[in-house]
Amino acid sequence: MTSRSRVRAITAAALSASVTIVLAACSGGSPAPTATATPIGKPVSQTCAELLPLESLAVYGKAFEQVSSFTPAKGTPAATIAQQQGRVCRFREVDDHAVTITLAVADLPEKSLTNLKDALYERGGSVPTYRVEGYFALADDGVGRADAFADPYWITASSTLFTEPGGAQPVIDAVRSVVAPGASPSATPGS
């Protein structure tokens, strides 16, 4: 059994655990981390506007604006990324504030990324068009979540606009081009 297979088997057994627990376990933390746990991630220096320029959202056919005062809900991947010194951003449609895109980016150690990738691999939903290891899932509430790994970055984005993996592609591509400029771009219509 390969090292990655062993990690996948262990991760599959604990798949119901939250991402926060996975991060804590791979950093040597306790199984139930507290809010005062030391972050294992490095600060993400890029701003929300740099990671996802508003022009990148024009493909959705609506005007968007950045929400400057956004705090992610506890227990969400965005909240976990915020705890890891990552960048968390929220964009909303100008005419309908109920339509939002949440983006979070973390710079994490290799072991943490491997554990996250393995957990998502076991869940399924691999997306090869993200040009890096990527996954997509659509929740029962209609919110699609895309995860992509432009090592050492974990990129996660969620929105009701993402009803299938390609719906999140413009967001993933925009962020990936900033944090991993050497990654090969996806083919885009008209380019």
Side-chain angles (χ1 to χ4, degrees):
M1 182 180 250
T2 67
S3 175
R4 187 152 174 124
S5 297
R6 279 191 292 268
V7 172
R8 283 194 171 139
I10 292 167
T11 303
L15 190 55
S16 63
S18 73
V19 174
T20 304
I21 293 171
V22 171
L23 286 171
C26 62
S27 67
S30 66
T34 63
T36 60
T38 303
I40 59 171
K42 296 177 185 173
V44 173
S45 61
Q46 296 90 347
T47 67
C48 292
E50 291 169 332
L51 290 168
L52 187 59
L54 292 177
E55 302 81 45
S56 300
L57 302 176
V59 298
Y60 298 109
K62 301 287 183 179
F64 283 83
E65 62 189 3
Q66 185 180 339
V67 178
S68 58
S69 59
F70 170 67
T71 302
K74 186 176 181 178
T76 63
T80 299
I81 285 176
Q83 293 170 347
Q84 296 304 321
Q85 304 182 73
R87 179 74 61 198
V88 178
C89 312
R90 168 68 62 96
F91 300 88
R92 67 181 175 204
E93 189 179 305
V94 172
D95 294 331
D96 182 357
H97 289 184
V99 178
T100 62
I101 296 172
T102 301
L103 167 69
V105 180
D107 181 345
L108 298 172
E110 182 180 356
K111 187 173 181 180
S112 297
L113 290 174
T114 299
N115 286 345
L116 289 165
K117 290 174 187 178
D118 289 345
L120 289 167
Y121 175 84
E122 291 297 328
R123 183 192 73 191
S126 178
V127 184
T129 59
Y130 290 168
R131 304 290 180 167
V132 292
E133 189 167 346
Y135 300 91
F136 180 82
L138 184 61
D140 292 337
D141 62 0
V143 175
R145 176 178 149 200
D147 293 278
F149 297 92
D151 296 348
Y153 295 95
W154 170 29
I155 304 164
T156 186
S158 59
S159 177
T160 55
L161 294 171
F162 307 158
T163 57
E164 49 91 22
Q169 188 84 45
V171 173
I172 297 300
D173 286 349
V175 177
R176 192 191 69 238
S177 71
V178 172
V179 298
S184 61
S186 294
T188 46
S191 55

